[in-house]
Amino acid sequence: MNRVETIGELRLQLAVWRGAGERTALVPTMGNLHAGHLELVLKARDLADRVVVSIFVNPMQFSAGEDLDAYPRTLDEDIARLTDAGADLLFQPSEAEIYRRPLEGQTRVEVPGISDILCGVSRPGHFVGVATVVCKLFNMTQPSLALFGEKDYQQLLVIRRMTEDLCMPVEIRGVPTVREEDGLALSSRNNYLSPDERARAPAMYRMLRETANAIIGGARDYRRLEQTALSRLTEAGLKPDYFVIRRAEDLGAPMSVEEELVILAAAYVGRARLIDNLRLSLR
Ligand code: PAF
């Protein structure tokens, strides 16, 4: 696997592949790679001729007081994992390479509406940071397709909407969440959990499953299901931020006739803010 740090080097390599008629897939990451990221790389290999992975801990998507400085950085391990997974190129830019001027003066990409609910309420500005950096990475790489984990379901919808609204010629693929045996979704933030917190964390996935089963079994009082789940998460020692049942397509409030739903949850377990979701089809 080759490694480049500048946009110039990246474009030189991409031009060679494009010249040979090869399709490129981009897997944007913030590093500290786990099996969930590697699944994106494996899927990308199936779908494209060349796989570029970016590692950039994007300061614009962290608010003051969040874990930007503490965010785990494990470059040597990441390189070994990407090499094993068969990635072709690692793009690992510096902050100055991505943001040529101070963050406050940067051109930004805002996807209104869908960015302002759920995680967007607890993390103001987060999705502007995500959309901006992903837009920049798309412009730098010009991939045929890009892959994102479905664990960050709201992020996936924000990116889809951005590419549609801005007519970006890139196909967006969501890849199913990879889980531990007890259901906990893989996340770099799981590293923050103490053994006791780690034991409590799977309650979130359990509640997603129980709520999904209740809906499949005919329950339609979504408000009540949400309230029950919030209480149960608190009893399990988590500090829930939200637990909601929404339309899968756009995260709007579902009506009882809706067929494609997603249940989304966010909760603090100690200092880690974990998110997860479960999609269900009532077709
Ligand atoms: O999901 C992530 O790791 C990040 O939000 C992303 C998409 C790489 C943008 O920084």
Side-chain angles (χ1 to χ4, degrees), residues 114-128:
I114 194 147
S115 297
D116 306 322
I117 56 175
L118 305 176
C119 285
V121 174
S122 321
R123 306 186 67 193
H126 170 67
F127 288 117
V128 169

Side-chain angles (χ1 to χ4, degrees), residues 28-30 58 61 130 133 148 155:
T29 80
M30 298 206 299
N58 173 32
Q61 69 189 74
V130 170
V133 81
F148 297 86
Q155 167 173 284

Side-chain angles (χ1 to χ4, degrees), residues 191-258:
N191 288 321
Y192 300 150
L193 299 171
S194 68
D196 170 57
E197 290 160 355
R198 173 65 188 79
R200 279 184 270 145
M204 188 146 76
Y205 183 58
R206 273 202 308 276
M207 270 330 297
L208 290 171
R209 296 276 312 251
E210 282 180 30
T211 306
N213 287 338
I215 296 172
I216 290 164
R220 289 295 178 272
D221 187 344
Y222 295 150
R223 193 86 200 108
R224 190 170 171 162
L225 291 172
E226 290 169 358
Q227 289 305 329
T228 305
L230 287 168
S231 313
R232 300 269 304 279
L233 287 177
T234 308
E235 281 159 23
L238 277 61
K239 205 170 142 218
D241 180 358
Y242 60 75
F243 189 102
V244 292
I245 301 160
R246 294 288 168 98
R247 240 177 2 230
E249 189 193 348
D250 59 3
L251 303 186
M255 295 183 288
S256 53
V257 292
E258 228 73 64

